[in-house]
């Protein structure tokens, strides 16, 4: 099993930058890829980006390219999402997820483990 714990969320002003973190523990050797999703109130989870655990190949939703960057240090068992030029519409709960069966996708169904999420609120 894999455990994921997000941190780093908070209240920021529009235009600010923020980096949220995901601490990974458990059977990390089984992880194929990690992903970041967000969920705004009343809406479903939306894919942001993914990264393969070993090779570090990255994948981004087209709408997220440019402002968001995913990275990982598997020696530190940590995945980050760097968010720049934040806008009020970025307000959401940001969750990390792990895939252990060889999937790298944009669907929630591609991932097997989820963290509890961290709230990011962007004020105008």
């Amino acid at each position: 099993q894999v455990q994921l714990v997000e941190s780093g969320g908070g209240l920021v002003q529009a235009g600010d930058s923020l980096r949220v973190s995901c601490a990974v523990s458990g059977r990390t050797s089984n992880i194929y890829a990690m992903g970041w999703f967000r969920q705004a109130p009343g809406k479903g989870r939306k894919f942001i980006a993914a990264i393969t655990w070993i090779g570090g190949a990255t994948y981004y939703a087209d709408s997220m390219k440019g402002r968001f960057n995913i990275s990982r240090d598997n020696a530190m068992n940590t995945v980050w999402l760097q968010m720049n030029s934040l806008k009020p519409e970025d307000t959401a709960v940001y969750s990390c997820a792990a895939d252990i069966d060889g999937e790298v996708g944009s669907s929630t169904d591609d991932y097997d483990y989820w963290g509890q999420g961290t709230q990011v609120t962007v004020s105008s």
Side-chain angles (χ1 to χ4, degrees), residues 9 14 24-25 42-43 48 51 59 61 67 93 101 104 116-118 120:
V24 185
S25 61
K43 298 185 178 181
I48 300 172
I51 188 167
Y59 307 86
R67 294 193 299 120
V93 174
D101 54 9
V104 183
Q116 84 289 346
T118 186
V120 174

Side-chain angles (χ1 to χ4, degrees), residues 57-107:
T58 58
Y59 307 86
Y60 293 90
D62 286 342
S63 61
M64 305 296 179
K65 291 180 180 178
R67 294 193 299 120
F68 290 6
N69 179 257
I70 189 170
S71 61
R72 64 93 176 88
D73 187 334
N74 47 17
M76 296 177 62
N77 290 328
T78 304
V79 182
W80 296 275
L81 182 69
Q82 176 69 42
M83 300 180 285
N84 301 314
S85 301
L86 284 165
K87 305 173 182 178
E89 56 261 41
D90 295 320
T91 295
V93 174
Y94 285 74
S95 300
C96 62
D99 167 67
I100 63 171
D101 54 9
E103 298 171 290
V104 183
S106 59
S107 172

Side-chain angles (χ1 to χ4, degrees), residues 11-55:
L11 176 63
V12 298
Q13 301 290 322
D16 284 355
S17 296
L18 189 68
R19 187 174 71 169
V20 291
S21 301
C22 177
V24 185
S25 61
R27 296 184 182 182
T28 58
S29 61
N30 291 344
I31 296 173
Y32 180 75
M34 297 289 299
W36 280 101
F37 292 75
R38 71 185 188 188
Q39 185 170 22
K43 298 185 178 181
R45 284 193 178 112
K46 185 176 181 180
F47 174 73
I48 300 172
I51 188 167
T52 59
W53 189 242
I54 296 176

